[in-house]
Amino acid sequence: MHFGSDNVMGASRPVLEAILAANDGAEAAYGSDSWSARAEAMLGEVFERPVKMFLVATGTGANALALAAMTPPWGAIFCHEESHVIDDECGAPEMFTDGAKLIGIPGLAGKIDPAGLSAALARFPRGVVKAVQPAGLSISQVTEAGTLYSLDEIKALTGVARDAGIRVHLDGARFANALAGLGCTAAEMTWKAGVDVVSFGATKNGCIACEAVLFFDEALADTFQFRRKRGGHTVSKGRLLGAQLVAYLENGHWMDNARHANAMAATLAQGLAAVPGVTLPWPTQANEVFAFLPKAVDEAIRGAGFRYAPWGSLSLPKDLEQGDRAFARFVTSWATKPSDINALLAKATSTS
Amino acid sequence: MHFGSDNVMGASRPVLEAILAANDGAEAAYGSDSWSARAEAMLGEVFERPVKMFLVATGTGANALALAAMTPPWGAIFCHEESHVIDDECGAPEMFTDGAKLIGIPGLAGKIDPAGLSAALARFPRGVVKAVQPAGLSISQVTEAGTLYSLDEIKALTGVARDAGIRVHLDGARFANALAGLGCTAAEMTWKAGVDVVSFGATKNGCIACEAVLFFDEALADTFQFRRKRGGHTVSKGRLLGAQLVAYLENGHWMDNARHANAMAATLAQGLAAVPGVTLPWPTQANEVFAFLPKAVDEAIRGAGFRYAPWGSLSLPKDLEQGDRAFARFVTSWATKPSDINALLAKATSTS
Amino acid sequence: MHFGSDNVMGASRPVLEAILAANDGAEAAYGSDSWSARAEAMLGEVFERPVKMFLVATGTGANALALAAMTPPWGAIFCHEESHVIDDECGAPEMFTDGAKLIGIPGLAGKIDPAGLSAALARFPRGVVKAVQPAGLSISQVTEAGTLYSLDEIKALTGVARDAGIRVHLDGARFANALAGLGCTAAEMTWKAGVDVVSFGATKNGCIACEAVLFFDEALADTFQFRRKRGGHTVSKGRLLGAQLVAYLENGHWMDNARHANAMAATLAQGLAAVPGVTLPWPTQANEVFAFLPKAVDEAIRGAGFRYAPWGSLSLPKDLEQGDRAFARFVTSWATKPSDINALLAKATSTS
Amino acid sequence: MHFGSDNVMGASRPVLEAILAANDGAEAAYGSDSWSARAEAMLGEVFERPVKMFLVATGTGANALALAAMTPPWGAIFCHEESHVIDDECGAPEMFTDGAKLIGIPGLAGKIDPAGLSAALARFPRGVVKAVQPAGLSISQVTEAGTLYSLDEIKALTGVARDAGIRVHLDGARFANALAGLGCTAAEMTWKAGVDVVSFGATKNGCIACEAVLFFDEALADTFQFRRKRGGHTVSKGRLLGAQLVAYLENGHWMDNARHANAMAATLAQGLAAVPGVTLPWPTQANEVFAFLPKAVDEAIRGAGFRYAPWGSLSLPKDLEQGDRAFARFVTSWATKPSDINALLAKATSTS
């Protein structure tokens, strides 16, 4: 009954079992273990091409290191003004890039559009020394509003980036949920759409601490092992990470988990939308539901022990009347039970 | 039969079981979970006073963050010239301190002495603006030579540090092995001896990825949560770390592991020392054995499948004749079996 | 006939003569010279209280160092979204603060207001670890739009800052022009209005390379000498800077220069405003004039050899119709001749 | 009578006159002025090939920026253990390189040798991730001991560097004095001997604040304008720097100054060496004299008003008996008068 985030639950059973299975015997340290090698090979199959994979234990580590591989200290990384990298990482990207600037771009429903990106790029002309120099675009898929870029929207943005000569990072902390939401392949959502680097999140969707940074361009990955090491992100008993990822990818476990989480969110969204006085500002396209709740409803379901996060956003629909309502975020996960959703909806409905 | 390092083995059984046990149900993220709280309380008992604890997944992360809490960017951290922080972390301390200098001090058997520290301090006079300013002392216990500072030696060094107005960090990647070797209490080896901050390593001694940074002075810990976050070292499902540490500390498991590892090393050292042509440059005081081996011995035991690291050092005894021998490091762990030691020694003896 | 900036002209005669006068004989290096000491004392009189002064050769150096003294690497500095520190220094503040974030706040005519500042502060709650922590406010006086904050406006902003527990920096690259425009004392515009640190610019207004960072709170200045040195901003023959500042301050030379520049700008503004088709979006309160010019006027005066910068801004009046006009910035200085203004205006008038 | 350093005197007459001459009229800012362009062209002639020149106001700025152009943050810069970059810049190289390591190499008379460099390089194997990666060699010419590398010595070191795939920086804070001492051409001492980047100092030898960073390989200079700007080292009224350098180079003024300073040092050295009880540990090859002085001599000449720096060094000849003597450094300059030398020697001689 905890919808606070998808990181409040532990690991799924297959992932736990892989940690156990990987525990016996000696393995080379610092990512040279057999489990990590197997994970990289499996990712190659998932993405339909070789990828250069680096495992770390945190999403902030993955994002900050990935961005650092794309920009010099005097570079600019463009992103949504409410993205995780700009708002929720206590300056990690600035630290790992040695001082590059994140340029926030406004946009509805957590998404930026090509016009917004072009306008932002225009403020940082190439070769004008007083201006930081455009270096990268970072898009979040799933976005901070729980929405998804369509493949065409991604391509439109990466097209602008390519024309500007900058690299593209995809923050996939909820990569699997995005894939399940779009119903496309991992390749289609990334390199085939112009993405260079991916933060491939697994922690939220069934692992306990495992994120992969994936490069499709090996040259861009050149310096990464040094960056990861001096960032303190090279886990010595690397099998811990490798084993999680193997189990996560094996037998489509990751997509099963994501489809379940998304289905739970869809049910929750549908149910909440039917509650009088409730408004959902954004479509529910993955595993997050955002809703304006009448105060009475909010208090009733909280009183019943349901936990979720109060929210705020700069990218709400212009015509939304917030009134005297609570704004809340509900996150479902691989571990969410249909009965939890039903109980929450029953409480909300009976209150309104 | 892998003596390469104590990080080539997985986790001990109690630690694994705690990971499993901690997996069920919802827990607050980012270190606010109940397991981490319990671990901090247990450390308070171990150290006989309240400690401020921060968990991270890597030793380099722990060290770099701890040092960053002690020094401004224009500060100097004094350490042995072959210490892990100066030699083996790819510049992580420089990154996390935003550019402070590590000042390497020579010393036999991996240890620095008060005269060496004083001489180094004298090169960086307070208030002389062109010089970086003394900020911290970092000592490794167990040292890079597998040796231990006695309590008196620690106190002598921290006395010099205190007189110079600088803080003291203890890199305890092998903290438990040191404690087992000295046969003293954790309090005696740290705050009672003048240590301010400890990297309390657990990974090498039975955990799979868990290190604690411990502060005895809460003021020094003030900024740590921000430093850890922007370093990407705040693990979201913090129970993973907390659970490991609880199991590690419970029922003296950590000290049992360490005593076992040390005993294995003692047996190995004694056996190797008896092999004709073998010289041990340093006493074996914890779980590492360093030895000069006749080439034939080296080849024979390697050929038999034993793995260990070739070594090098700037702090060898002056009168040691290295001759045409291989220099090697053997590390034992909680998982080392007596039969492995015996097999290795049998091979070595039969060859010489 | 060059209105491109106030840094396209050299130094005024008294400043040059002081450089010559200071050249003879030996002087202690690195800012310990007698000229710098005299300059600091004179500033104490100007500001009606002791100030801690540090001289550097560039405005970017002064600003970046001043901001670094106010914020930890995980801090946030609030400023206008088009301020010099955020837009025109190629990331120097990020470099010198080791990665702090500049938070741009929108506002008309180059100015932020208390509501805007409060709203921005609210996005970075104290103690919420994922958010960078509010550390400083930086206001530009003269602003990037050539306008001035009134004393009341400054006090309103510093009041919000004080309530939020953050420090206040004033970027006074055109400090004297601001003072001349407001007609108040240096004390009134700074510490009496709640300002903690000032970048006191002298280069643009008659010096050739001299900026002072001034602290009213000595504690805040504690680390500055180290920051300046490691930033490479401690000029060895410090008399060069000290002598300029002495001559600049002596006999009210600085205010004479500024009043002249401001008067030239006022004449230019009045004249341009009278040209048909010309619109001035902002009041001319110091030594910068911004104007929308009919294309024909723009081409004619450029053709006549007048030089000035094309401009752009995010903070234009909402009801301004830009039409097919050129947007331009004209900067006057201590060296601008009335005849230059007259010639420009004659050309503009005859064209329209 | 001030031999404390060559930065205690002001600028020479031709340099001052150039500052005056350059002052009139408008000039483009930020280094795009005509004087800087002319200086770059003149340097091209001096070095017998095109050079990419960047002017800054301080030697620390020049060195730190030059090193930053050569190394990634996880790189190692090798230098003498008492070089200015490692000892006297308060961590500026670490700041500008975003955390690279300076590796100090011992060596007599302020010089490192190929064996010492090779041994240091061997400690940082390429591709070993835990080790910082060799990136650059920085040699000082004149050294901190006032000595000079011969051309053959430079070539031997740059040969080792080239074989190791690292770049070579020459810290020429006293470049002209070195050239005068060696009696070779600027080309021979730099690019013809394998040097890639030069800190070409002019401040100490007749300018008031002017240092040039020179690149022989344009690719290496690619990012420099951004580095300089974000370092706050792009002087806005760039004519100040350009004019100094033009006058400095014109008519061989720089070499005249340097030859004079060196001759003064030679006279001083010869005279001191003849004083009973005085020992000069190193040959006087440029404009610095180092001497062990009997206490009585030291007190007598200090008492007579002569000023010079007490000294210390790790690189003294092994067989030197320091006894109860003062160790002192005397620096001569373009402004040193023969009568000052004579007076000092007379005092010293009469005392002993």
Side-chain angles (χ1 to χ4, degrees), chain C residues 32-282:
Chain C
S32 302
D33 60 283
S34 62
W35 292 86
S36 296
R38 194 165 148 211
E40 189 174 51
M42 292 173 79
L43 282 167
E45 284 175 40
V46 163
F47 282 88
E48 303 169 39
R49 58 170 287 171
V51 299
K52 198 92 185 102
M53 173 201 85
F54 298 89
L55 299 181
V56 296
T58 72
T60 294
N63 282 339
L65 284 163
L67 296 183
M70 298 165 65
T71 182
W74 53 88
I77 302 282
F78 298 86
C79 58
H80 189 274
E81 65 178 346
E82 294 183 285
S83 62
H84 199 269
V85 290
I86 204 171
D87 249 16
D88 299 320
E89 301 185 345
C90 196
E94 286 86 351
M95 176 179 172
F96 281 73
T97 62
D98 298 307
K101 249 188 226 294
L102 299 188
I103 307 298
I105 301 173
L108 288 177
K111 298 197 272 185
I112 60 178
D113 60 28
L117 176 56
S118 294
L121 280 162
R123 290 175 49 212
F124 301 90
R126 283 239 173 257
V128 172
V129 179
K130 68 181 185 176
V132 288
Q133 299 292 294
L137 164 67
S138 176
I139 55 177
S140 304
Q141 180 84 322
V142 181
T143 74
E144 295 301 304
T147 55
L148 294 175
Y149 290 97
S150 71
L151 294 187
D152 282 346
E153 286 173 332
I154 295 176
K155 283 175 198 162
L157 288 170
T158 64
V160 173
R162 192 178 49 243
D163 291 349
I166 68 176
R167 298 290 199 158
V168 181
H169 167 251
L170 186 144
D171 178 0
R174 295 185 175 95
F175 191 92
N177 301 288
L179 218 53
L182 282 191
C184 66
T185 69
E188 285 166 350
M189 196 169 82
T190 58
W191 62 273
K192 288 185 176 174
V195 172
D196 298 301
V197 190
V198 173
S199 294
F200 183 86
T203 306
K204 291 179 193 291
N205 189 42
C207 290
I208 190 143
C210 185
E211 310 279 312
V213 180
L214 307 181
F215 290 90
F216 302 118
D217 176 353
E218 200 150 330
L220 205 56
D222 237 17
T223 61
F224 201 89
Q225 58 180 349
F226 298 107
R227 294 185 186 278
R228 184 175 61 171
K229 184 69 183 174
R230 74 190 283 264
H233 284 288
T234 307
V235 167
S236 70
K237 297 185 177 178
R239 69 176 89 183
L240 169 66
L241 304 180
Q244 289 181 72
L245 203 53
V246 165
Y248 182 71
L249 296 173
E250 212 159 37
N251 303 319
H253 179 55
W254 61 308
M255 290 307 297
D256 290 345
N257 278 358
R259 275 187 291 263
H260 174 80
N262 286 12
M264 291 295 98
T267 306
L268 177 58
Q270 196 173 3
L272 281 177
V275 175
V278 170
T279 308
L280 277 58
W282 305 310

Side-chain angles (χ1 to χ4, degrees), chain D residues 315-339:
Chain D
S315 71
L316 291 168
K318 300 284 182 224
D319 58 352
L320 181 78
E321 287 177 31
Q322 305 185 20
D324 187 28
R325 295 186 293 179
F327 189 24
R329 184 187 76 163
F330 301 84
V331 189
T332 58
S333 79
W334 62 274
T336 303
K337 293 181 203 141
S339 56

Side-chain angles (χ1 to χ4, degrees), chain A residues 7-11 16 23 26-27 29-30 58 88 90 92 95-96 203 207-209 229-233 237 239-240, chain B residues 7-11 16 23 26-27 29-30 58 88 90 92 95-96 203 207-209 229-233 237 239:
Chain A
N7 57 30
V8 300
M9 301 305 292
L16 277 182
N23 194 66
E27 282 278 1
Y30 301 118
T58 72
D88 299 320
C90 195
M95 176 179 173
F96 282 73
T203 305
C207 290
I208 190 142
K229 183 71 184 174
R230 74 190 284 262
H233 284 288
K237 297 185 177 178
R239 69 176 88 181
L240 169 66
Chain B
N7 58 30
V8 301
M9 301 306 292
L16 276 181
N23 194 67
E27 283 278 2
Y30 301 118
T58 72
D88 298 320
C90 195
M95 176 179 172
F96 281 72
T203 305
C207 289
I208 190 142
K229 183 70 182 175
R230 75 190 282 264
H233 284 289
K237 297 184 176 179
R239 70 175 88 183

Side-chain angles (χ1 to χ4, degrees), chain B residues 71-141:
Chain B
T71 181
W74 53 89
I77 302 281
F78 298 86
C79 58
H80 189 273
E81 65 178 346
E82 294 183 287
S83 62
H84 198 269
V85 290
I86 204 172
D87 248 17
D88 298 320
E89 301 186 344
C90 195
E94 286 86 349
M95 176 179 172
F96 281 72
T97 62
D98 298 307
K101 249 190 228 292
L102 299 188
I103 306 299
I105 300 173
L108 288 177
K111 298 198 271 184
I112 59 179
D113 60 27
L117 176 56
S118 295
L121 280 161
R123 291 174 49 212
F124 301 89
R126 282 238 174 260
V128 171
V129 179
K130 68 180 185 176
V132 288
Q133 299 292 294
L137 164 68
S138 176
I139 55 177
S140 303
Q141 179 83 322

Side-chain angles (χ1 to χ4, degrees), chain D residues 17-107:
Chain D
E17 278 165 9
I19 292 175
L20 293 182
N23 195 65
D24 288 335
E27 282 279 1
Y30 301 118
S32 303
D33 61 282
S34 61
W35 292 85
S36 296
R38 196 168 146 208
E40 189 174 51
M42 291 173 79
L43 283 166
E45 284 174 40
V46 163
F47 282 89
E48 304 169 39
R49 57 171 287 171
V51 299
K52 199 89 186 105
M53 173 202 84
F54 298 89
L55 299 181
V56 297
T58 71
T60 295
N63 281 340
L65 285 163
L67 296 183
M70 297 165 66
T71 181
W74 53 88
I77 301 281
F78 299 86
C79 58
H80 189 274
E81 65 177 346
E82 294 184 286
S83 61
H84 198 270
V85 290
I86 205 172
D87 248 18
D88 299 321
E89 301 185 345
C90 195
E94 286 85 351
M95 176 180 173
F96 281 74
T97 63
D98 298 308
K101 248 190 226 294
L102 299 189
I103 307 299
I105 301 172

Side-chain angles (χ1 to χ4, degrees), chain A residues 203-254:
Chain A
T203 305
K204 291 178 194 290
N205 188 43
C207 290
I208 190 142
C210 184
E211 309 279 313
V213 180
L214 308 181
F215 291 90
F216 302 118
D217 176 352
E218 200 150 329
L220 204 56
D222 237 17
T223 60
F224 200 89
Q225 58 178 349
F226 298 107
R227 295 184 186 278
R228 184 174 63 172
K229 183 71 184 174
R230 74 190 284 262
H233 284 288
T234 307
V235 168
S236 70
K237 297 185 177 178
R239 69 176 88 181
L240 169 66
L241 304 180
Q244 289 180 74
L245 202 54
V246 165
Y248 182 70
L249 295 173
E250 212 159 38
N251 303 319
H253 179 55
W254 63 306

